[in-house]
Amino acid sequence: VVHANVVHASYAVSASYVLADASSKARAERNLPDGKPVRTFLDVMIWQGLASVAIPGFTINRICRGVGNLLTSYSHLFPKRTRAMIITGSGLLAIPFIIKPIDRGVDELMEKVVRPVADIKYF
């Protein structure tokens, strides 16, 4: 539906958002001692990178791939453009349903694995 360059540009926008959010939160703590701003920056970068970019991107990609594979069995019923719209629509429609489970999963991963290993104490 859109050119691959548009998709790649969207990843650049997402990565910029993650960097800006982490920088903003770390900057708000710039006067705190003991490297707190650095720990906050790393924590936010990891959390946002996983919850806002990597996992949703992968999940939506797999949903679209699955729908696309399913539609190949019925390619005689739908023109190529219609199949592309159905695939894209399925990815977009999945977004509201994947947000909370991904956020909860990343919270759990951060609390049980990343923060203890990196010794990051967040807020």
Side-chain angles (χ1 to χ4, degrees), residues 10-87:
S10 74
Y11 287 123
V13 170
S14 297
S16 297
Y17 163 75
V18 170
L19 182 61
D21 188 40
S23 298
S24 171
K25 287 190 168 79
R27 186 166 202 189
E29 299 179 344
R30 67 183 172 270
N31 296 325
L32 296 178
D34 300 330
K36 175 83 167 117
V38 173
R39 288 195 303 273
T40 297
F41 179 83
L42 293 173
D43 189 88
V44 174
M45 282 287 291
I46 294 167
W47 195 95
Q48 288 285 9
L50 291 171
S52 298
V53 181
I55 297 172
F58 176 79
T59 303
I60 292 168
N61 177 278
R62 296 294 87 198
I63 289 168
C64 291
R65 173 64 71 103
V67 170
N69 288 343
L70 181 66
L71 287 177
T72 59
S73 302
Y74 301 99
S75 62
H76 61 284
L77 297 175
F78 302 104
K80 186 176 182 178
R81 179 82 172 150
T82 302
R83 286 195 310 268
M85 296 298 280
I86 292 170
I87 292 167

